[in-house]
């Protein structure tokens, strides 16, 4: 009967009374109805309440929906703040999809610095066996956005934290990059550094690569 305010009050009371596992579905209905009656921007308070009370898995999904809504409204800073808030409950080891969504958001909106910050945070949180792959993605994206020479700091960090096998491979890639850039002394220093973890009895390939570099 046109009593929208009363209808919304019923939803509000219901979200405080249902079981935790029923909240997510109810909040989705509440948000949908509020958007139909008042318009999408007026759903912010409902999203905020939902994020405060939902269980973690549902909270992450609600955060992403909220951020997507703000993005569609052109509220990029609001969306970024929501992603940043959500990241506090998103372990990159088990919520890779969230981090990928956030990275794509930053890249899409031309905010390269923020995208790189997301990669940086992720490399500090993933499992050791996942670091190598993530660093490769990070380096590739940084090269695309800033240019190859600007990947040096990422290579250096990777070499500091990777396990030995992956560290050796990363060193060789780093040295190859410097060689292509004509930075021969830099490349030589990288090979020399890497040699400290390369036993010639078991890493003959590395020593052969270094020898070929010096001959060239």
């Amino acid at each position: 009967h046109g009593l929208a305010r009363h209808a919304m009050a019923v939803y509000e009371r219901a979200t405080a009374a249902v079981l935790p596992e029923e909240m997510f579905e109810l909040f989705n209905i509440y948000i949908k109805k509020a958007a139909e009656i008042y318009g999408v921007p007026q759903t912010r308070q409902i999203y905020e309440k939902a994020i405060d009370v939902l269980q973690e898995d549902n909270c992450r999904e609600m955060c992403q929906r909220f951020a997507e809504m703000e993005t569609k409204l052109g509220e990029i800073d609001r969306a970024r703040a929501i992603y940043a808030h959500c990241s506090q409950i998103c372990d990159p080891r088990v919520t890779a999809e969230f981090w990928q969504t956030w990275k794509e958001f930053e890249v899409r909106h031309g905010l390269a610095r923020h995208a790189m910050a997301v990669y940086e945070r992720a490399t500090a949180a993933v499992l050791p066996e996942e670091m190598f792959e993530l660093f490769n993605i990070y380096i590739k994206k940084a090269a695309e956005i800033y240019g190859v020479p600007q990947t040096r700091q990422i290579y250096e960090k990777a070499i500091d934290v990777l396990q030995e096998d992956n560290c050796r491979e990363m060193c060789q890639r780093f040295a190859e990059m410097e060689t292509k850039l004509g930075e021969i002394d830099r490349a030589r220093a990288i090979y020399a550094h890497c040699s400290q973890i390369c036993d010639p009895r078991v890493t003959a390939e590395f020593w052969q690569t270094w020898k070929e570099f010096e001959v060239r």
Side-chain angles (χ1 to χ4, degrees), residues 125-213:
V126 295
L127 293 169
E129 58 268 25
E130 296 170 345
M131 275 190 185
F132 183 66
E133 183 178 357
L134 184 57
F135 269 113
N136 283 324
I137 296 168
Y138 186 10
I139 288 166
K140 181 181 177 184
K141 292 294 183 184
E144 290 171 359
I145 294 169
Y146 296 114
V148 171
Q150 302 307 312
T151 62
R152 286 186 179 113
Q153 285 187 322
I154 308 170
Y155 273 111
E156 288 166 358
K157 180 181 177 182
I159 289 166
D160 279 344
V161 299
L162 287 172
Q163 295 172 325
E164 280 196 4
D165 285 350
N166 290 332
C167 180
R168 279 192 288 271
E169 187 170 347
M170 190 63 75
C171 281
Q172 288 184 247
R173 292 185 184 185
F174 190 12
E176 287 165 8
M177 181 200 85
E178 295 291 11
T179 303
K180 287 175 183 175
L181 292 173
E183 296 285 355
I184 305 305
D185 288 340
R186 284 180 182 270
R188 181 174 290 112
I190 295 163
Y191 281 119
H193 175 79
C194 187
S195 70
Q196 297 170 39
I197 56 166
C198 292
D199 184 337
R201 294 170 295 181
V202 292
T203 58
E205 185 180 345
F206 164 79
W207 291 91
Q208 182 61 31
T209 300
W210 189 7
K211 185 169 72 173
E212 289 171 0
F213 162 83

Side-chain angles (χ1 to χ4, degrees), residues 118-130:
V118 175
Y119 280 110
E120 181 69 18
R121 291 172 68 179
T123 59
V126 295
L127 293 169
E129 58 268 25
E130 296 170 345

Side-chain angles (χ1 to χ4, degrees), residues 88-131:
Q88 297 170 35
I89 56 164
C90 290
D91 184 337
R93 293 171 293 184
V94 292
T95 59
E97 186 179 344
F98 164 79
W99 290 87
Q100 184 61 30
T101 300
W102 188 9
K103 285 181 285 192
E104 288 171 0
F105 163 83
E106 296 293 0
V107 171
R108 266 200 318 274
H109 295 283
L111 300 161
R113 180 171 56 84
H114 293 288
M116 293 300 99
V118 175
Y119 280 110
E120 181 69 18
R121 291 172 68 179
T123 59
V126 295
L127 293 169
E129 58 268 25
E130 296 170 345
M131 275 190 185

